Amino acid sequence: MPRFLAGLVSSILIASLLSCSTQTSPQHNQLVVFAAASLKSVFIQIGDRFKTDNPGVDVTFDFAGSSELATQLTQGAAADVFASADNAQMEKVAKAGLLAGSPTNFASNTLVIVAAPGNPKNINSFADLTRPGLSVVTCQQPVPCGSATERIEDATGVHLKPVSEELSVTDVLNKVTTGQADAGLVYVTDALSAGNKVTAIKFPQAASVANVYPIGALKNSSHVSLAQRFVATVTGETGQQILAQSGFAKP
């Protein structure tokens, strides 16, 4: 066979193989979800279910304080979905024109005091957190758990003097579980997830300042329809069942 014909045949075979490879390779999509730190455990469960129901889709989570995530988004960070621990941070993202439609409220959460197992400091009320010698940690402003703490302080007239103010509710919980603080203010769901590492002390004032969680698909997403499908999973029967099992209340 002449050399030029051999080369032509070889080129045709390579092109054919590449075409077949392209046609048979599965579609692969990456969904990036920015979510409040308090959603970590439950969203990982929902993400696993979502991947099972949507073959070829990977879900990557970025968990942090809602205010930190909202700032990242307004400064140009790329993501497909945003789930906040309060409406204030979602409003910042909405006002920046970053949402693909209106957000949907999908859960609510209330604060609870956590102390070392057995409650050795005998903390029984919100006011007890002001006792001399007691080291207390809270979330900083404008993190939603910090905003909720401030609203309780304003409502009760009891103002705390925390030894530290953390960037996320999981950081507050960690300070208590590792013995770096005597007590902290976290969500009911965080106390549940900690199990026997803490004792949870409920107080009545928390009920009036429940945080509502909104979620929305982001306009600049590379997979808007897929992002909206994830939102639908969170707000639908599957997500709501997992949220309820983890201690979240209805919005």
Side-chain angles (χ1 to χ4, degrees):
M1 181 184 294
R3 183 177 298 175
F4 80 92
L5 285 177
L8 181 61
V9 170
S10 177
S11 297
I12 291 171
L13 284 171
I14 292 171
S16 177
L17 287 170
L18 287 173
S19 176
C20 290
S21 175
T22 302
Q23 291 173 6
T24 57
S25 62
Q27 188 177 10
H28 187 81
N29 291 314
Q30 183 81 27
L31 198 69
V32 178
V33 178
F34 276 22
S38 52
L39 292 168
K40 184 174 183 177
S41 176
V42 69
F43 262 36
I44 287 174
Q45 294 179 61
I46 292 174
D48 287 342
R49 184 75 64 84
F50 186 78
K51 287 187 287 185
T52 298
D53 295 340
N54 296 270
V57 176
D58 282 337
V59 183
T60 299
F61 293 104
D62 190 341
F63 295 107
S66 298
S67 57
E68 180 182 346
L69 296 174
T71 298
Q72 289 179 24
L73 288 170
T74 57
Q75 291 179 350
D80 301 293
V81 176
F82 177 44
S84 172
D86 73 357
N87 282 300
Q89 301 308 316
M90 183 63 77
E91 285 173 7
K92 290 180 182 178
V93 174
K95 286 179 180 178
L98 300 178
L99 293 180
S102 300
T104 302
N105 294 332
F106 66 93
S108 65
N109 219 343
T110 53
L111 291 180
V112 66
I113 300 166
V114 286
N119 191 15
K121 299 293 184 177
N122 197 30
I123 301 165
N124 296 304
S125 68
F126 186 75
D128 283 348
L129 296 178
T130 62
R131 289 205 315 247
L134 195 70
S135 60
V136 177
V137 289
T138 64
C139 293
Q140 66 176 231
Q141 285 278 11
V143 180
C145 53
S147 298
T149 299
E150 184 178 58
R151 295 201 304 274
I152 293 171
E153 289 178 307
D154 291 342
T156 60
V158 176
H159 295 281
L160 308 182
K161 295 181 179 179
V163 294
S164 70
E165 295 178 322
E166 303 299 321
L167 285 170
S168 74
V169 69
T170 49
D171 291 334
V172 173
L173 184 65
N174 183 62
K175 289 278 188 178
V176 178
T177 58
T178 57
Q180 298 179 65
D182 297 320
L185 284 162
V186 303
Y187 294 117
V188 169
T189 52
D190 297 294
L192 283 173
S193 68
N196 59 13
K197 293 181 181 178
V198 298
T199 290
I201 304 106
K202 294 183 178 180
F203 56 100
Q205 298 90 343
S208 62
V209 292
N211 276 12
V212 175
Y213 288 60
I215 186 170
L218 295 165
K219 185 185 296 183
N220 294 331
S221 166
S222 300
H223 313 286
V224 174
S225 62
L226 197 59
Q228 292 171 335
R229 201 182 308 167
F230 182 85
V231 171
T233 298
V234 172
T235 58
E237 184 179 351
T238 296
Q240 291 299 299
Q241 183 179 27
I242 295 172
L243 284 157
Q245 290 170 348
S246 299
F248 287 89
K250 294 287 185 180

